[in-house]
Amino acid sequence: MAGMNLGPNVVRPGPPMGIMQPQGQTIQPPQGPGQMPPPGMGGYGGAPNSVMMQPQGQGQAQASYPGQPQGQVPYPGQPHQQQGYAPQPGGYPPQVPGAPQLQQPQQMASMGPVVDDPRYLPRPGFDSDSLATRVIQGEPVPAMAPTATAPGQGGVGGIVDGASATPLTLACYPEHFTPCSARHVRITCRTFPNNSALARKFALPLGCVVQPLAAPVTEADAVPVINFGPAGIVRCRRCRSYVNFMCAFTDGGRRWRCSLCQFLNDVPSEYFCPLDSNGRRRDAHERPELCRGTVEFVAPAEYMVRPPMSPAYVFVLDVTGASVASGALQVAVAAIKASLDHMPNDGERTKIGLICFDTAVHYYMLRPGEEGEPSCVVVPDIQDIFLPTPDDTLANFSECRPCFEKLLDKIPTLYASAAVGAMSVGASVGGRPGPKAITVGAGSNAFGAAVKAAQFLLEHNGGKMVCLLCSRPTLGPGAIKDRGDNSVLGTDRERPLLAAAESHYKTLAVELARFQIAADLFLCPPAPGLFMDVATLSPLAKHSGGELKFFGSFDHGRDGQFLYEAICRNLSREGAWEAVMRLRASRGVRCSGFQGRFFLRSTDLMALPHCDEDQAFAVRFSFDETTLTQNHFVVQNALLYTTSRGERRIRVNTIAYPVVSSLSDLMCNIDSPATASILARISYEAVRDRGQKDAMGIPTEHLINALAAYRQLCQSQYAGSNFGGANQLLLPDSMRLLPLYIQGILKTPVIGRDAAGAFGCRLDDKSFLLNEMEVLNTNITSLLAYPNIVPIFPLSDESLGTVEEATNRVRLPPALPALNGSLKTDTVILIDIGTRLFVWIGAAVTAAFLSTCDDELARQGDPYAIARALLAGGSEGKTSDFDRARAIVGMVRRAKGGYGPPLLVVLQGTPTQAMVEALMVEDRTAQQLSYREFLADTQKKVSLRATKT
């Protein structure tokens, strides 16, 4: 990365060597001796693998180096192998013994006026392949940099060459080892400090994001299943961790040392195998638990306190006027019926039940056989709800399916009268009928009593209740008072309204978790956005391990398909039932600060009545002991659960990284996406606990403290180099994208007031976003911070948007920066923020883009019809411009799992354009800095902090 001036006249970095400039000229640096640092070192003398922003007037092109292909930039974290050299003129420092070695610097060419080109700020790769990687796998984990600490001195080296690190493994040989995927466990730093003082100086959070059941991307990611049989699973007798690739075998193979607590265990006779000349088991490469980071054990009988439960679903449906008139009830019923063929039902063990509620609770009895007819018992006494009959309310799915389907067909008709008079048509908006408005009182309901009724159905078996709710509960237990006041958003007065008004639903959720029951909530308040109090309702899903979906101002035309898809996804994906999860770390380190949807039974045991592949969890590490004595840091995540087939399994993910004593070793191995994900969670949590102003300062304070410590490190280790004075921002290459992610987090609607205004956020919207963050994986949080901006029309190459034979995936065009300048009037842009997709259509190309669409209403410019057309499957063999755009949208959605996130079409010049503009996070807003200004402001604060410290 060439230099950046961060003084009053900010100069952006120049382009990499070999990149074509707008004038069509290619800049090639002359070869020869000079004083500038080598590529990947970014312009300061000394600290490894860094990017430095140069003072004004010193912007240069990227130098070449031996072995580097022309026109390419060193990748983040690329180690350098050339030996150290004497100090160079201008203060270029010598190399520290044991540190990654620098290369001889070479002459740089002046970039002239192009150094102010905003395209060359630190950003993710925009080329087609880099974009495809981010879409399919997420932001890649950079190569690990060498560690300066020698083995036996608080660290483990393990570097075999300059491009990668040898996998850290003791039980098997590195060539046989398959590490745990970053989709399962992604840690914030790929080295770990050996003492608490170094951790405090590091300043960034130490933690990881865990997604234990993440779906495999390729066949190679498939998780092996291991059955130890009657002998039982091999575990440590002291800490109860599972045998893994970091366990060392001694005494001829008769004993093994635990990788976490270092306890020496006896090897069971059934598990014995002799060691080879290097002290490794001869069969290690044949045993997945010793050569893979992710495995799954078949749990023996001692892991069961009762026979494995049967999958059970109870549907709790709102049948008030608000639900019927908005169309949400009809969509939910259609989704349930469409999912019946895809619900887990191995061995015909699945059970189902259905409860409806308005001002009373309606139990439906299901009869077996083709001729069975459903019947109903209405319980009006909602204050003291009871189960009217123990039979037929929770029935065997296979036996009662014909009766259940008849009931689903009848429900919309049975409650159609509730919609009479419940809605009035709103004002016209842009030539379209406006949203419908619910009349006051049309949604009065006894939701709390209905949930209690569903608990009675499930408490002897366990399972999940799938709840549709379209208005705030106002009757019976769990009734919520109207406290909605959107005028307090963004002020100190919003904090009480973002917390639960009372503890009824949290207490109920804890009781559900005790019976292994999860509550999934689909909240659909109709237009004009009736207040539901998501903050008070959300603990029901959070503490029972359930799912929470919110469709604010529910509009059937806009949201109906996505509610349908969300329910289908919920019912059709494989899940873990009656689960518990624990994270263990090396001796001296404690797992704390858990975030996700679970009930914490003890200090580190999470109860999960239900868990699925889309749920992620976050945990932070803290020191129990002042200093770590072991050379490696190991984290093991174990999830004990029941499959839908009735098998008890244990999913185990294990990762290991070196323990180091050098701050530079920490700084050069930061995982920016994982760090940004943890910081986002901390900041969102602070919005509710401490207020928006404090929340905005948390990620920047971590960043400034870390970079100030890094600057001091450079200055102390490399005396005689002035680093260009206070105008240079020193960034380790591993942190290259962290400032970009942090300033993007600050511009999300939860924290940024400008974005909240652009999205028209209400209290319920903000409460939902706060809860949603708790279960997002690292790939999604990276996109929330910096979205993928993909042009889908016009496409310069006819092969774009078509399936490549070699990869069997749609070929994507190069991405664009998140700038308003990318939203040109003659383009159509896809914006992917992980949880939602936007398609922005420029005014000048609307007619041309829609001309080949096969939907008449879409060709007339209806945004909802355009969205449906983009989501529909195109005709096989058609390659029109619209079909290619549709293929790109489809690929991006499918990569998210299931049906993918909702899609909103935005036409240029309409009010919704403000949403898209708010997603261009590099631009300045009314109250927040642009990306370039944020870097300049960060540099000033870092320099000041480093000087004071």
Side-chain angles (χ1 to χ4, degrees):
M1 170 76 60
M4 171 184 284
N5 183 347
L6 295 174
N9 298 316
V10 180
V11 179
R12 299 179 178 93
M17 183 274 301
I19 299 294
M20 295 299 296
Q21 300 306 309
Q23 295 83 2
Q25 300 176 353
T26 303
I27 296 177
Q28 299 286 350
Q31 304 297 311
Q35 300 179 15
M36 293 302 296
M41 309 303 294
Y44 70 88
N49 301 325
S50 297
V51 173
M52 185 188 74
M53 312 310 183
Q54 299 284 348
Q56 186 175 3
Q58 294 184 12
Q60 280 103 0
Q62 184 74 51
S64 61
Y65 61 94
Q68 177 190 3
Q70 293 297 303
Q72 295 188 9
V73 188
Y75 52 81
Q78 179 173 354
H80 302 278
Q81 293 301 298
Q82 182 140 346
Q83 295 299 314
Y85 46 88
Q88 300 296 308
Y92 199 86
Q95 192 61 219
V96 176
Q101 300 300 300
L102 305 178
Q103 293 182 326
Q104 281 289 356
Q106 296 174 334
Q107 182 67 33
M108 303 284 187
S110 174
M111 298 300 296
V114 297
V115 297
D116 198 41
D117 193 326
R119 290 177 297 169
Y120 300 106
L121 289 168
R123 297 188 181 106
F126 285 163
D127 62 279
S128 180
D129 291 338
S130 297
L131 175 61
T133 299
R134 287 204 310 277
V135 166
I136 298 171
Q137 301 180 5
E139 192 66 36
V141 178
M144 189 170 176
T147 55
T149 310
Q153 299 179 354
V156 173
I159 305 301
V160 295
D161 57 47
S164 62
T166 296
L168 196 55
T169 172
L170 300 179
C172 68
Y173 290 100
E175 59 267 25
H176 298 147
F177 178 61
T178 302
C180 173
S181 167
R183 293 173 65 87
H184 287 119
V185 182
R186 188 156 184 171
I187 196 166
T188 57
C189 185
R190 287 161 296 129
T191 53
F192 199 82
N194 69 340
N195 60 72
S196 57
L198 181 59
R200 288 192 297 271
K201 192 172 184 180
F202 177 58
L204 293 174
L206 294 168
C208 65
V209 178
V210 180
Q211 192 175 357
L213 297 178
V217 177
T218 63
E219 292 183 2
D221 296 332
V223 178
V225 178
I226 305 166
N227 191 347
F228 280 98
I233 302 172
V234 180
R235 300 179 66 179
C236 175
R237 288 195 294 116
R238 177 194 284 172
C239 71
R240 305 303 294 161
S241 65
Y242 297 85
V243 67
N244 58 78
F245 61 90
M246 286 301 295
C247 296
F249 288 80
T250 62
D251 195 16
R254 288 181 286 272
R255 307 179 82 184
W256 64 278
R257 187 175 299 279
C258 174
S259 59
L260 277 78
C261 70
Q262 305 302 305
F263 183 75
L264 204 57
N265 297 270
D266 293 329
V267 174
S269 57
E270 302 88 346
Y271 197 65
F272 173 78
C273 180
L275 308 183
D276 63 13
S277 58
N278 294 315
R280 288 184 167 96
R281 287 177 59 114
R282 296 183 183 277
D283 67 346
H285 65 285
E286 299 173 354
R287 290 193 170 271
E289 71 274 14
L290 301 181
C291 64
R292 295 182 71 101
T294 299
V295 295
E296 191 159 277
F297 298 107
V298 176
E302 57 262 31
Y303 287 80
M304 308 177 194
V305 296
R306 64 172 185 173
M309 60 170 282
S310 301
Y313 301 83
V314 171
F315 302 98
V316 183
L317 303 181
D318 182 346
V319 292
T320 61
S323 175
V324 178
S326 67
L329 177 63
Q330 294 88 324
V331 172
V333 168
I336 294 169
K337 187 172 182 179
S339 302
L340 297 182
D341 288 331
H342 307 286
M343 289 171 56
N345 190 27
D346 293 270
E348 298 185 347
R349 302 168 58 249
T350 300
K351 300 178 180 180
I352 56 170
L354 190 143
I355 292 174
C356 294
F357 66 93
D358 42 27
T359 57
V361 175
H362 308 245
Y363 289 92
Y364 281 93
M365 316 303 169
L366 302 175
R367 313 296 182 193
E370 292 290 338
E371 304 302 323
E373 291 292 334
S375 60
C376 178
V377 176
V378 179
V379 180
D381 185 4
I382 58 176
Q383 296 296 342
D384 187 18
I385 197 70
F386 60 91
L387 191 61
T389 172
D391 301 320
D392 302 327
T393 47
L394 189 64
N396 182 277
F397 172 52
S398 298
E399 295 175 359
C400 299
R401 177 170 176 173
C403 181
F404 187 61
E405 290 183 346
K406 293 176 186 178
L407 175 59
L408 292 176
D409 292 335
K410 290 179 179 180
I411 282 179
T413 305
L414 287 173
Y415 298 100
S417 59
V420 178
M423 276 194 161
S424 59
V425 178
S428 173
V429 179
R432 291 172 43 82
K436 296 180 178 180
I438 296 294
T439 59
V440 177
S444 298
N445 67 77
F447 175 66
V451 172
K452 196 67 179 176
Q455 176 190 329
F456 292 155
L457 291 183
L458 290 167
E459 61 185 15
H460 296 294
N461 180 82
K464 63 189 295 186
M465 56 180 76
V466 181
C467 308
L468 174 73
L469 180 62
C470 296
S471 57
R472 176 172 44 86
T474 54
L475 303 173
I480 302 174
K481 296 180 180 179
D482 188 357
R483 57 180 186 139
D485 182 6
N486 292 308
S487 65
V488 304
L489 281 171
T491 70
D492 291 337
R493 293 182 297 153
E494 77 172 1
R495 283 178 54 204
L497 300 182
L498 295 176
E502 43 90 17
S503 61
H504 174 85
Y505 287 101
K506 179 178 179 181
T507 303
L508 182 56
V510 172
E511 190 173 356
L512 293 178
R514 186 164 63 90
F515 290 112
Q516 301 294 348
I517 302 170
D520 299 332
L521 303 183
F522 294 87
L523 308 180
C524 307
L530 297 179
F531 179 67
M532 290 196 69
D533 206 342
V534 172
T536 301
L537 290 167
S538 59
L540 182 61
K542 174 179 171 60
H543 296 288
S544 68
E547 183 175 15
L548 177 64
K549 292 291 185 182
F550 179 71
F551 299 87
S553 297
F554 181 82
D555 184 308
H556 186 278
R558 180 191 64 203
D559 303 314
Q561 178 172 353
F562 305 117
L563 173 61
Y564 177 93
E565 293 178 348
I567 294 176
C568 289
R569 171 69 170 165
N570 179 284
L571 298 177
S572 60
R573 66 189 166 203
E574 181 65 36
W577 303 84
E578 53 180 348
V580 290
M581 185 170 74
R582 175 173 269 135
L583 280 100
R584 299 177 174 91
S586 293
R587 186 178 60 189
V589 178
R590 181 176 69 255
C591 296
S592 60
F594 298 98
Q595 290 179 301
R597 292 183 186 150
F598 53 83
F599 171 62
L600 198 62
R601 281 189 188 170
S602 60
T603 55
D604 63 347
L605 183 65
M606 290 171 275
L608 302 165
H610 191 268
C611 182
D612 58 68
E613 64 185 55
D614 298 328
Q615 283 188 354
F617 307 84
V619 61
R620 298 195 290 277
F621 306 125
S622 56
F623 280 78
D624 272 339
E625 300 176 6
T626 305
T627 303
L628 301 184
T629 57
Q630 57 267 43
N631 290 333
H632 50 262
F633 173 67
V634 180
V635 177
Q636 188 174 84
N637 159 240
L639 177 75
L640 171 64
Y641 70 99
T642 299
T643 68
S644 297
R645 295 176 296 278
E647 299 174 341
R648 288 294 273 174
R649 297 280 186 87
I650 307 170
R651 174 70 64 91
V652 178
N653 298 297
T654 308
I655 58 173
Y657 290 103
V659 172
V660 298
S661 59
S662 166
L663 181 62
S664 63
D665 288 336
L666 292 172
M667 290 292 185
C668 292
N669 285 292
I670 292 169
D671 189 310
S672 288
T675 301
S677 184
I678 296 291
L679 287 173
R681 285 172 158 85
I682 296 172
S683 301
Y684 274 45
E685 194 173 59
V687 169
R688 182 169 43 213
D689 297 340
R690 297 164 53 184
Q692 188 161 337
K693 184 177 180 180
D694 287 350
M696 292 189 69
I698 288 174
T700 51
E701 191 69 12
H702 279 282
L703 178 66
I704 290 167
N705 287 337
L707 292 181
Y710 186 65
R711 188 179 188 88
Q712 291 174 325
L713 172 71
C714 297
Q715 291 171 337
S716 63
Q717 290 190 351
Y718 308 112
S721 179
N722 60 9
F723 304 99
N727 285 339
Q728 290 179 338
L729 177 63
L730 303 180
L731 280 173
D733 205 30
S734 63
M735 290 180 67
R736 186 175 63 93
L737 296 178
L738 189 57
L740 176 66
Y741 290 142
I742 287 178
Q743 69 95 36
I745 291 169
L746 298 179
K747 292 180 178 178
T748 56
V750 169
I751 300 178
R753 293 176 182 171
D754 297 317
F759 277 83
C761 273
R762 301 167 181 257
L763 280 169
D764 280 340
D765 297 314
K766 195 164 187 175
S767 294
F768 168 68
L769 293 174
L770 288 171
N771 282 277
E772 184 183 45
M773 174 59 71
E774 295 178 337
V775 295
L776 298 182
N777 61 35
T778 302
N779 300 341
I780 301 297
T781 53
S782 297
L783 290 172
L784 282 174
Y786 194 83
N788 286 332
I789 313 296
V790 186
I792 59 175
F793 179 83
L795 297 174
S796 57
D797 189 337
E798 290 187 359
S799 65
L800 298 175
T802 60
V803 177
E804 295 178 313
E805 292 185 4
T807 61
N808 196 30
R809 63 171 173 81
V810 176
R811 186 184 173 202
L812 299 176
L816 299 172
L819 291 163
N820 273 299
S822 299
L823 303 176
K824 298 179 181 178
T825 189
D826 60 348
T827 58
V828 179
I829 304 293
L830 172 66
I831 301 116
D832 176 13
I833 65 170
T835 59
R836 200 170 182 182
L837 300 179
F838 297 81
V839 170
W840 186 87
I841 303 178
V845 294
T846 302
F849 176 62
L850 300 176
S851 62
T852 57
C853 177
D854 48 13
D855 186 287
E856 177 62 31
L857 196 57
R859 288 198 296 271
Q860 296 175 11
D862 184 294
Y864 299 168
I866 297 172
R868 289 192 295 269
L870 286 169
L871 297 177
S875 302
E876 190 173 350
K878 292 182 65 174
T879 56
S880 68
D881 292 334
F882 192 87
D883 284 308
R884 290 194 290 157
R886 179 159 44 197
I888 295 173
V889 172
M891 175 189 171
V892 172
R893 288 194 85 215
R894 288 191 299 273
K896 302 292 188 296
Y899 293 92
L903 172 69
L904 179 67
V905 170
V906 176
L907 301 177
Q908 184 179 13
T910 59
T912 51
Q913 182 175 333
M915 295 185 189
V916 172
E917 291 174 345
L919 299 176
M920 303 298 109
V921 295
E922 292 195 36
D923 283 317
R924 183 183 180 87
T925 66
Q927 301 184 53
Q928 292 178 285
L929 302 175
S930 68
Y931 178 32
R932 184 180 60 159
E933 292 167 339
F934 176 80
L935 289 174
D937 183 65
T938 299
Q939 172 267 321
K940 293 176 184 178
K941 292 176 179 177
V942 167
S943 297
L944 183 63
R945 184 73 52 86
T947 303
K948 286 184 177 181
T949 306

